[in-house]
Amino acid sequence: MKKSKTPQPASSAIIERDGRYLLVLRSNPPSADMYAFPGGRGEDRETPAETALRELFEETGIRGEKPLLFATYDLPGRLDAPDGPSFFLSVFKVKADTAAIAVASDDAASVGWYSAEEIAKLPAPDSVRDCIARLEAERARRSA
């Protein structure tokens, strides 16, 4: 009998500056060679918001604050790795010092600030593309 997979908790942090979003280039699976918001797996007794802030700091050196839940995603895992992990991803909008400089560390191969148009041309998970579309719609409503 096959055991059911319980999704592992994971969180990401969105930081936006002047219409540009902070992304990391992942160096490890499950999203190796893809651009994504800083984030990763939750640790024992850590809330999703704490995971987002910890991962943001570990991957970019930026200390975030005031995490606000923005979206959640059930990520079933890769089709080519049926025994691989599945995740429940919580994505938070996070505030940070506007002078803070992002430096790639931990499993981030690089970091950068990208516009929605640039992100559309990058390899990125569907969850990132969905968040960017929603964020840009919010920005358009605010400026209207």
Side-chain angles (χ1 to χ4, degrees):
M1 179 178 202
K2 188 174 181 177
K3 293 195 297 188
S4 64
K5 280 200 299 189
T6 301
Q8 297 178 21
S11 297
S12 294
I14 298 171
I15 297 181
E16 182 263 333
R17 287 185 185 164
D18 300 320
R20 301 179 80 74
Y21 302 93
L22 180 63
L23 298 182
V24 299
L25 176 60
R26 297 253 171 252
S27 59
N28 296 326
S31 298
D33 302 321
M34 296 186 85
Y35 290 83
F37 300 119
R41 298 175 188 192
E43 295 181 352
D44 287 341
R45 295 188 278 289
E46 186 175 58
T47 68
E50 290 168 340
T51 299
L53 296 177
R54 176 184 52 78
E55 287 285 344
L56 172 65
F57 180 71
E58 286 177 2
E59 293 181 355
T60 70
I62 293 178
R63 290 209 183 269
E65 61 183 16
K66 300 180 182 174
L68 176 65
L69 184 63
F70 180 70
T72 60
Y73 299 91
D74 280 310
L75 305 175
R78 296 173 28 178
L79 294 175
D80 62 342
D83 292 330
S86 62
F87 297 94
F88 182 79
L89 176 64
S90 301
V91 183
F92 293 84
K93 290 167 61 173
V94 173
K95 302 287 184 193
D97 181 351
T98 57
I101 297 172
V103 177
S105 58
D106 197 34
D107 72 337
S110 66
V111 296
W113 297 90
Y114 300 92
S115 68
E117 294 79 22
E118 292 167 327
I119 294 168
K121 298 173 188 168
L122 296 173
D126 291 341
S127 59
V128 169
R129 296 190 188 291
D130 180 64
C131 284
I132 294 297
R134 292 177 54 195
L135 290 160
E136 287 297 294
E138 280 184 4
R139 283 171 37 85
R141 281 193 300 274
R142 282 195 310 265
S143 64

